[in-house]
Amino acid sequence: MKKAKELMDKLSYSRKSFWKEASEQERKAALDFSEGYKTFLDAAKTERETINFYEKQLAERGYANIDADAKGKKIYRLSRGKNAAIAIIGKRPISEGVNLIVSHVDAPRVDLKQNPLIEDGSTNLGIMKTHYYGGIKKYQWMSTPIAIHGVFVKRNGEVVEVSIGEDPTDPVFVMPDILPHLARKVQSPKKIGEAIAADNMKLIFNSMPYLAEEGEDVKNAVKLNALYLLNEKYGVTEADFLSAELQLVPAGKARDCGIDRSFVLAYGQDDRICAYTSAEALYAIEEKDFDKTAIVYMADKEEIGSESNTGAKSNFIIDFIADLLKQNNENNDSNTLRKTLIKSQILSADVNAGINPNYPSIHEKENAVHMGFGVAIAKFTGSGGKGGSNDANAEFNAKIFNIFDEENIFWQIGALGKVDEGGGGTIAKFMAEYGAEVIDCGPGILGMHSLYELASKADIYSAYRAYKAFFLKG
Ligand code: MN
Ligand code: MN
C-alpha cells in the first residue's frame, strides 16, 4: 500500500498559491510587472484614452496600419478611436486559424447628458445632469472626487480633448450625497439599489456667477460663467455639448494596496487589466518563433451588451481577419474566412469575481476564484442554468490547461458565483458565433464595477504569462 499523503498528492487537485509556490524570481517579476500596468491605468481611464495609448505605442514599436497598405508581420487597425486589433503574423497560413485574445476597454462610468448644464433653481449652483453607463452601484459614486474625461467634437469636425481632475493642481467635481441626519425618510428606509435615483446624480460644476456690468440684469449668471470658463479653456459653446462624449470617472491614480503591496487598487481594471496583459503578451512574442497568427482585439461597449459599431457584435474583427488573409496573399472569400474562424482559438479575456472575505456566502469555495492563485478560467458564464453563456468544450479546456501546466503558469478554474446567486456574461458568446473555440480567461477582481477595483499582482502577472503561452503554443 502507498502512503495516503503520497496518494492524495497524486490523485487529488488543488489550486496553488502564487505567493507561496512561485520562485523568488517570479514573485519579483510579478511585482515589477505591475509598475507598467499602473502607469497604463493612469493614462487610460476611458476607452478613447486606451486606444490613444496603444496608437502611440504601436507606432513606437513599429507596427503598421493595415489601412495604409502595410507590409510586414506586425499589423494593426484602429476603429473610431474606441477599438483596436493588433496582429503578428505566424509561420503557418492564416487560413489554418488564428489565436485571438479579446478584451474590452470600456468600463462602467457616469456620462454627462447631451444637454447637461443648468443653473439649479433651488440652489443657484451650476450643475451637470448625468446618465450612467453600465452596471454601477449608484451610491458608490456619491461624495467622491470625480474627474471629467472625453471629447467635444465641434461642427467643423475638430476634436477637443478634455481631462479635468487628474493633475494634482486640477480641480475635481462631486455628486454630493445627503447627510445621515436628514436621510431618515428619503434614503435610509429604501433598498440599497433604490436609495440613490439616477436623478440624484447631479454633478456640482460651479457656483460663481458671471459678474455683469453695472445696471445689466443677467439671468442664469452662474450658468453663464460656467460657459464662459469652458469657452476660455476649450473654445466650446453650450451647443458643442450636444456632440460631446464626456465621462465622469473617479479622480486619482492607481495605487499599490496591502502592507506587502501585493495588490493594485484602481478604477477600470475590468477590463483594461486584460487589454494591458494581452498587449504585453503580444509584444513579448515579437521575436519568437510561433505557428499561428496572434491577434489582440480590444473591444468597446461590453458593459452595455457589446452593441454598436465598436462593440464585439460588430464585424470589425472579422473584417480585420479577412484583410489579414488578403495582406498575406491568401484567399479571403467568404468560405475561406468562415473556415478560418472555425479553425481559430479565442481567449475571452475578461475579469472574474474573486472570493470576497466580506461576502463569502455568494461564492462556492471549490469552484470560485481565489485572489493570488493565478489567472482564472471560466468554462461558462451566464446565469441560472448557464443561460446566455458560451460553454467551452472539454477538449478545448484540456488543451488550454495543458499549455498552462507545461509553462508552469499559475491558473485556477473560476465560476462567477454560487449557482442561482446572480450572473453575468462576457464577449465569449459573441465570439463563439463564428465557430471558433472560445474560453473565458482572466484575473479575479474584488469589488468589480466599483470605483476602486482590487487585483492581485500575482494574477495580473499570471494572466500575462498565460496569454503569452497561448500565443506561442495554442
Ligand atoms: Mn468585463
Ligand atoms: Mn464588467
Side-chain angles (χ1 to χ4, degrees), residues 13 15 373-375 377 401 404-405 409-413:
Y13 163 81
R15 52 169 66 70
F373 284 68
V375 68
I377 299 174
F401 297 165
F404 291 177
D405 283 344
I409 285 155
F410 286 79
W411 65 271
Q412 55 184 323
I413 49 153

Side-chain angles (χ1 to χ4, degrees), residues 2 15 18 28 31-32 37 44 46 53 63 120 141 144 205 220-222 232 249 258 311 341 378 420 432 436 450 452:
K2 283 192 170 178
R15 52 169 66 70
F18 180 93
K28 182 172 185 313
L31 297 175
D32 291 347
Y37 174 53
T46 66
F53 178 93
Y63 284 75
D120 177 54
W141 290 77
T144 192
F205 196 68
N220 289 327
V222 174
E232 288 247 292
V249 300
L341 293 167
D420 285 344
S450 70
Y452 305 103

Side-chain angles (χ1 to χ4, degrees), residues 211-276:
L211 295 179
E213 302 267 315
E214 216 170 312
E216 198 184 5
D217 181 28
V218 187
K219 270 197 188 137
N220 289 327
V222 174
K223 175 179 172 179
L224 180 62
N225 201 36
L227 290 171
Y228 173 74
L229 294 171
L230 283 167
N231 185 260
E232 288 247 292
K233 193 164 163 62
Y234 297 108
V236 295
T237 68
E238 189 174 19
D240 290 321
F241 273 104
L242 307 180
S243 51
E245 287 178 350
L246 295 167
Q247 310 179 356
L248 309 185
V249 300
K253 293 186 186 307
R255 306 283 297 265
D256 283 343
C257 182
I259 191 73
D260 56 3
R261 297 180 176 266
S262 59
F263 298 99
V264 172
L265 185 74
Y267 166 74
Q269 298 198 69
D270 172 11
D271 183 32
R272 291 178 202 128
I273 195 170
C274 293
Y276 182 79

